[in-house]
Amino acid sequence: MITLNHYLILSGLLFAIGLVGVVRRKNLLMLFFATEIMLNAANLAFAATSSYYHDLTGQMFAFFIIAVAASEVAVGLGLLILLYKKYGSINLDDFTIMKG
Amino acid sequence: MENYVYIALFAPLAGSLFAALFSQRPKALVTGVVTSTLLFISFVASVILLNHVHHEGAVHVTLMDWISAGDMSIPFGFNIDQVTAVMMTVVTLVSTVVHVYSNGYMDHDKSFNRFFSYLSAFVFSMMVLVMSDNFLGLFIGWEGVGVCSWLLIGFWYHKADVTRDVNPSISPSWAANEAFIMNRIADLGMLVGIFLIYWNIGSLQYADVFAAVPSMNHGMLVTIGIFLFIGAMGKSAQFPLHTWLADAMEGPTPVSALIHAATMVTAGVYLVIRANPLYSAIPEVSYFIAVLGTFVAIFAASMALVNRDLKRIIAYSTLSQLGYMFAAAGLGAYWVALFHLAAHAFFKALLFLGAGNVMHAMDDELDIFKMGGLKKAMRWTYLYMGLASLALAGIWPLAGFFSKDTILEAAFNEHTYGIWLVLWFTAGLTAFYSFRQVFLTFAGDERYKPLGFHPHEVQKYVLWALSPLAILAVIFGWFKEPFMEFVTQFLPAYEMSEHTEHNVVILTVVTTAIALGGIIFAWMRYYKGLKRDEKVEQSLPYRILLNQYYIPILYERVFSKPYAALSKVFWEDVDQQVVDATVDGIASVIQESGDSSRKIQTGNLSDYLKLMSGGALVLVALVLFAAMQN
């Protein structure tokens, strides 16, 4: 029997994987993937809790997050392409012009 | 009548503000003309008020509620009674003359406009001082005249400091600061007096305060009387706060005439006259005032005997006459003090303005040993200064005769023969030094000629402007009876005993005799010319007098220098070592922590994300920890 706890543990694991990706990865594209994983971890938790409480509010939230994530990726990828065209790199270590 | 009160009060303020508009501009004659005209308007309003008060009694107006907090309520009110009306008329009359005179005197000064702005501001403050119906308003005016006095003594602030041998006053800005600080010391006393009044009576209105005096504790009355008198001592330059007045002569001469002879320095006398119900209730303090006044009279007169500086001689004589006024007020003859105050204002302002004419003619030379024989070039000034000196010496029928004689009669009447004797002797000294100065300046050999001076008389309109003062210096004394009747409607009457009445002729003769003696002695010694006697000039008493009893040097050694040394200790050891060190320490801690934490701003997004994640984790840990605690 798969209980709510299983879903939440899975969601936590996914979030941790995403977080590690955000922290460790240097490639901006990978950073995007990692954030997507984190967002989807949140979606999973929302959907699971929603079904557990028989309340649709959580699933509505999940839809919102999917919509926001989609538009964010659309804009983000556009910027990423521009960045690559301008500097020829999407490695974070190459962009330290704001060093104090 | 209310409108006349406001006109008299605010016309000088309007003039001052108008002149202030031009303060940064080159000389504009319009400022002098406008301020003089407004002063004249104020004078006319004052005379109308004087007449009104004479026939109808006092006028009281309240301009606005000023301070009201809790039980305290101090309106900004004005009360025009007999004393105030007299003061207003004297102040505005002398001010008007001085304003017109200054148009000529300050003709070539590049700060012409600024001068008139200050001068009118002074008159406004003085009007607030004399017109206020409560002690706080008086104090505002008191401080206002102090500030204007400071501004005007230091009017030529650009002059550099010199040593005491060259100029005893060191420099205008030094003299201005000295006057201001001396007055600050005295004002503290006055402020304490005002606090005590409020503390004990709960009101600062003159009417309430003086009504409460009879029911008050005697010790408290004495304390209040002493503290208020300390304020009066500063403003009227009584010993030991007297040194600033002679140094104040660094200011332009019209200022000396208006502020340091005729009006501001008499504010202390005015305060004692105003507070007469208080001082009548504490005879021991009054007696002290009389004794101190008498001492200052002879003390200042002795310094005037040997001085060579035209303006300083007149300054010492002012000091001496202020002593006479305090002596009269202290003996309970308040109306006599007021009478001498008014008479003195007229002839002393005239004397000063005459001295200004001489200075003008002699290119600001003040040493009377370098003058002599000026009567040919300056006939009118000679006449004016001669008249003023006769009035000062107390020769019948001029103003000083009546006022000074009455003071001496009062001293005789009170059986204070010591005071009488000293004041009588001082009258002789007064006559001597006044005419020593007049003769050395105007008579005898023309010592200025080898020095290359080309004296000339001042402008005609200036001489005309002085004529009201000259006329009053002559005739004012004739109005002694009406003056007495007028002011004793408000002030306590002072009756001479039969014994005094009996001796009045002898007293008058004796007083006139010593005054004439002084004049004749001065005539014998100085009329023909200056014969310097090295032996006398080197003698110890002469040098003591010339150096003002070494009091300024004493003050410098005892107060100024130790205070400066103490300030240096506080500056170097306390301020720099403790206060500055603390502030600098805090600043450097912040700067260093900023410097070291700057390293985390690498510009690399990855590092920031790490820090952010770490922070988020810490927060989560904290929340978990808090949740587990519950």
Side-chain angles (χ1 to χ4, degrees), chain A residues 19 22-23 25-26 28 31 92-93 95-96 98-100, chain B residues 598-599 601-610 613 617:
Chain A
L19 190 65
V22 162
V23 169
R25 291 286 186 165
K26 297 290 179 182
L28 266 173
L31 241 70
L92 270 179
D93 288 341
F95 304 107
T96 55
M98 293 289 278
K99 185 173 164 58
Chain B
R598 204 170 56 152
K599 293 188 186 92
Q601 195 188 343
T602 56
N604 191 330
L605 187 62
S606 190
D607 293 338
Y608 298 160
L609 285 170
K610 277 177 207 158
S613 313
L617 279 179

Side-chain angles (χ1 to χ4, degrees), chain B residues 182 229-245 265 268-269 289-297 299-300 318-327 555:
Chain B
M182 283 265 184
F229 183 62
I230 289 173
M233 278 163 73
K235 201 52 94 195
S236 292
Q238 296 297 292
F239 183 85
L241 299 172
H242 64 283
T243 53
W244 69 267
L245 184 60
V265 288
V269 183
I289 294 174
V291 171
L292 184 75
T294 310
F295 168 70
V296 170
F299 171 74
T318 305
L319 208 47
S320 173
Q321 299 303 311
L322 287 169
Y324 272 93
M325 291 174 212
F326 274 118
Y555 282 179

